[in-house]
Amino acid sequence: MTKSKLVEKISENLTSITKKDAKVIVDVIFDSMIDSLKKGERIEIRGFGSFKVKERNARNGRNPKTGIIVNIPEKKTIFFKPGKELKKKVDY
Amino acid sequence: MTKADIVERVYEKVGTSKKESAEIVETVLDIIKENLKNGEKVKISGFGNFSVRKKRPRRGRNPQTGGEIEITARKVLTFKPSQVLKKVLNS
């Protein structure tokens, strides 16, 4: 399922919402989550799961082609932990 | 951030009533959950992909007792953030 399919489904399930509105809504939802993660906040959605920003330390790596040691700077990544309910739903 | 904050954002930006906004957010989550339940990948461009991965059974140990146990085959949900989101976080 892609974003556009999700948009379609929303307007099918909620008859008061047009496809155009549904697209705006989906963008607002994910943009608000991105904004929150940008601030380093944790997102907790009951029944779904939580997103957390974690910092990865800088480390040395190697260019696998040339074998030259390169420094990989520290970076932030997102970790998702599925909620109990969803975990069970997926694994039946 | 919680679900209530997301609902608030929808209410502010979309102009739907609070009750309607809550209903919409719930519907969006339900649709995503339903898809994942069916083992289908959910791809949200600009955010990331949710996918269900099948894990084979493997041997593990109870860390408390040291006893060997069998970890059964299972399906797990994983999330991979999009390149765009990774860039946004590190800029």
Side-chain angles (χ1 to χ4, degrees), chain A residues 35-86:
Chain A
D35 282 350
S36 174
L37 291 168
K38 242 200 284 192
K39 285 187 238 155
E41 283 174 12
R42 197 179 108 98
I43 302 175
E44 189 181 317
I45 301 169
R46 286 283 158 85
F48 192 80
S50 61
F51 297 87
K52 202 160 118 186
V53 180
K54 272 194 192 170
E55 208 144 318
R56 285 252 163 93
N57 289 334
R59 62 191 168 88
N60 287 325
R62 253 175 216 280
N63 180 330
K65 222 176 191 166
T66 61
I68 294 166
I69 294 174
V70 285
N71 180 263
I72 299 169
E74 57 177 18
K75 57 183 160 197
K76 289 178 192 146
T77 52
I78 293 175
F79 279 80
F80 171 68
K81 198 177 164 219
K84 253 188 215 158
E85 187 206 312
L86 186 54

Side-chain angles (χ1 to χ4, degrees), chain A residues 27-40:
Chain A
D27 284 336
V28 167
I29 290 172
F30 287 103
D31 284 348
S32 72
M33 289 169 73
I34 292 170
D35 282 350
S36 174
L37 291 168
K38 242 200 284 192
K39 285 187 238 155

